[in-house]
Amino acid sequence: MTTPAEDAAALRLIVGRIARKLRAAKNVVGGLALSESSVLARLESDGPASPSALAEQEGVRPQAMAVTLAALEERGLVSREPHAADRRRAVIAMTAAGRKMAADRRSVSGQRLATAIEEEFSQAERRELQQLMTLLDRLSERL
């Protein structure tokens, strides 16, 4: 029997490996840098935000965020509008092209997972995987 610390280390390694492979598959769609895809995901989940708020949330300097936002704007994935209350400030929002890019990237990773599950696991193993997902979901809620 392994210890909880050994289980935690193994789980962290496996989840990290899965996340890296899915991230690599998503990067095939649109060729976005990790920082760019992270900003798009944040805008999609949280809605429009100021560049300074995005920099703070992403844990980067405002100058680095400016470079990321410029690249996303150049590709037409985000737009910059004046803040409603303070016209000196800007608000960054996803464009229709940005929303499509995010959806396409999700579709690629979802399809990759579905294909791997279908090709690799028997029906019995898929039932075990479903049970495991319930436990992992519970674990995620606890963290």
Side-chain angles (χ1 to χ4, degrees), residues 38-49 54 57-58 92 94:
S38 181
V39 168
L40 273 185
R42 185 170 301 280
L43 289 170
E44 184 176 39
S45 66
D46 299 347
L54 288 168
Q57 293 165 344
E58 291 291 310
I92 306 297
M94 288 181 78

Side-chain angles (χ1 to χ4, degrees), residues 102-132:
D104 289 348
R105 290 166 60 86
R106 271 193 313 280
S107 177
V108 165
S109 39
Q111 187 57 49
R112 185 166 179 169
L113 269 172
T115 299
I117 289 169
E118 182 179 13
E119 291 176 355
E120 186 64 29
F121 298 113
S122 67
Q123 284 294 95
E125 288 172 323
R126 287 173 59 194
R127 282 190 291 279
E128 286 181 47
L129 185 60
Q130 289 167 355
Q131 291 171 345
L132 178 60

Side-chain angles (χ1 to χ4, degrees), residues 40 44 75-79 93-104:
L40 273 185
E44 184 176 39
R75 296 182 68 178
L77 301 176
V78 300
S79 64
M94 288 181 78
T95 63
R99 286 188 291 281
K100 182 178 181 333
M101 172 76 73
D104 289 348

Side-chain angles (χ1 to χ4, degrees), residues 26-43:
K26 285 178 14 178
N27 284 338
V28 170
V29 178
L32 294 177
L34 185 57
S35 59
E36 294 166 353
S37 62
S38 181
V39 168
L40 273 185
R42 185 170 301 280
L43 289 170

